[in-house]
Amino acid sequence: MNSPSDFGFVYVATGTAYLAEAFHSANTLRLHHPGSPICLITDHPSSELGPFTEIRRPVAPVSHSPIDKLLALEAPYARIVFLDTDTHVLGDLSPIFATLDRFDFALVQDVNRGWNYTLPGLPETFAEFNTGVVAFRRTEAVSAFFREWRENFLRLRDTLAAQGQPPAADQPAFRYTLYHSTLRVAPLPNEFHFLSDYPNATMWKVRLLHGRGDYDRAAHQINASPGLRSYLPELGAFPAHSGRRRLLIDLLRFNFRALRVLILGAVDPETRHPWKWWQENRSRPPGKSSHP
């Protein structure tokens, strides 16, 4: 395993709204990494270190937009795992660093995979990655990649603004930049980055949740049963078929949860409504938008 000076975690919180969230997430990370370096990069530094090893002011300009996560490159480590502030750590994440022995990046493929837009020159099979957890090596080649990622994001943002479309996220620009680079990316198993805001599936014990809401409830639902299982927000996990009796019990339990949520609403008012993902997908116009 790498020495502490060689690796570390980093959060980026620009603006006061994300600062408390970063502290909460880092506290959950610290439970499973008591001795690991954790850096916070923020334009609103706290007088208390809390779970962080150090807190730094950003050197590069701050835009208070999704592209601020690129400030993660300023973390003082050779191998870095960036975590979004809306993550909740449930287990040991150190195996991610070992992946960087052979790869420049490690990320999980996004649940939506960028299906709702196209990028000219990119095949549909080169799907979108979720940048809520990004493991990377800080090398000259990766630094150059970050600069290109920023340039592509700004170009995309300006193009969409001229068309009167909503602001661009950072993931399409990451996807475009990665496709045109020679860097190596490893697919991160989703137990190390589980997107809990959307329908999802996993096989192993989830070690990190990404998505706002009742983390304890989501963790209990997702990790209650080992093995292959599907997950719907608020409704919980549905295991793979393992006999008629177990299937009947699981169906009754699942339908009870669905009925309760439909009648009473989501248990946590801050949690995405369990059917919102369905409504959003159904409300999209047919076809795909085109991003440059």
Side-chain angles (χ1 to χ4, degrees):
M1 184 60 200
N2 303 311
S3 64
S5 61
D6 183 54
F7 73 95
F9 298 92
V10 62
Y11 291 84
V12 175
T14 55
T16 57
Y18 298 102
L19 195 57
E21 198 172 54
F23 269 80
H24 169 81
S25 179
N27 277 320
T28 67
L29 175 62
R30 181 59 74 196
L31 291 174
H32 303 281
H33 289 267
S36 296
I38 308 175
C39 177
L40 172 64
I41 298 174
T42 178
D43 54 348
H44 291 272
S46 169
S47 58
E48 298 287 338
L49 279 177
F52 298 103
T53 310
E54 62 176 304
I55 298 178
R56 294 188 168 200
R57 283 188 175 273
V59 176
V62 171
S63 63
H64 296 106
S65 72
I67 206 63
D68 279 349
K69 66 177 58 176
L70 273 68
L71 296 170
L73 190 63
E74 298 180 10
Y77 315 122
R79 306 178 190 211
I80 301 169
V81 172
F82 161 80
L83 302 179
D84 259 351
T85 59
D86 60 336
T87 55
H88 188 87
V89 180
L90 304 173
D92 178 23
L93 303 181
S94 57
I96 299 177
F97 291 104
T99 307
L100 298 176
D101 289 342
R102 299 294 301 272
F103 292 88
D104 301 291
F105 285 102
L107 303 94
V108 74
Q109 193 173 69
D110 198 84
V111 171
N112 290 328
R113 303 190 317 181
W115 67 269
N116 59 317
Y117 67 88
T118 58
L119 288 170
L122 267 67
E124 293 183 4
T125 50
F126 190 78
E128 184 176 281
F129 291 91
N130 190 286
T131 56
V133 175
V134 184
F136 62 95
R137 294 190 288 188
R138 196 175 62 172
T139 64
E140 287 299 323
V142 171
S143 297
F145 175 93
F146 270 64
R147 292 192 293 270
E148 293 176 18
W149 182 9
R150 179 181 295 275
E151 292 170 1
N152 287 327
F153 170 83
L154 295 175
R155 178 171 58 86
L156 176 57
R157 181 196 64 184
D158 294 343
T159 300
L160 293 180
Q163 297 172 353
Q165 298 188 43
D170 59 284
Q171 290 181 182
F174 180 91
R175 178 187 178 194
Y176 181 89
T177 309
L178 185 63
Y179 182 78
H180 289 93
S181 80
T182 58
L183 298 179
R184 302 184 71 200
V185 58
L188 192 65
N190 75 343
E191 62 265 26
F192 290 93
H193 183 186
F194 190 86
L195 299 166
S196 57
D197 269 357
Y198 299 92
N200 210 341
T202 190
M203 180 74 181
W204 311 105
K205 183 178 180 180
V206 170
R207 304 190 188 192
L208 180 144
L209 297 177
H210 181 196
R212 294 179 175 90
D214 187 336
Y215 291 115
D216 291 336
R217 177 180 173 81
H220 174 74
Q221 290 180 339
I222 294 168
N223 284 333
S225 300
L228 182 62
R229 58 208 184 271
S230 300
Y231 172 76
L232 287 176
E234 282 295 323
L235 300 185
F238 194 91
H241 177 58
S242 58
R244 294 182 180 180
R245 182 176 179 180
R246 176 62 186 270
L247 177 62
L248 177 60
I249 294 172
D250 290 333
L251 282 172
L252 290 174
R253 182 183 297 116
F254 204 75
N255 287 331
F256 173 77
R257 291 176 187 160
L259 184 62
R260 182 189 61 190
V261 171
L262 286 173
I263 295 174
L264 302 178
V267 173
D268 180 2
E270 298 297 323
T271 303
R272 173 190 297 269
H273 191 280
W275 301 119
K276 186 176 180 183
W277 57 267
W278 180 83
Q279 293 168 345
E280 286 176 347
N281 291 348
R282 290 292 299 270
S283 65
R284 292 185 189 274
K288 298 182 178 180
S289 60
S290 179
H291 288 343

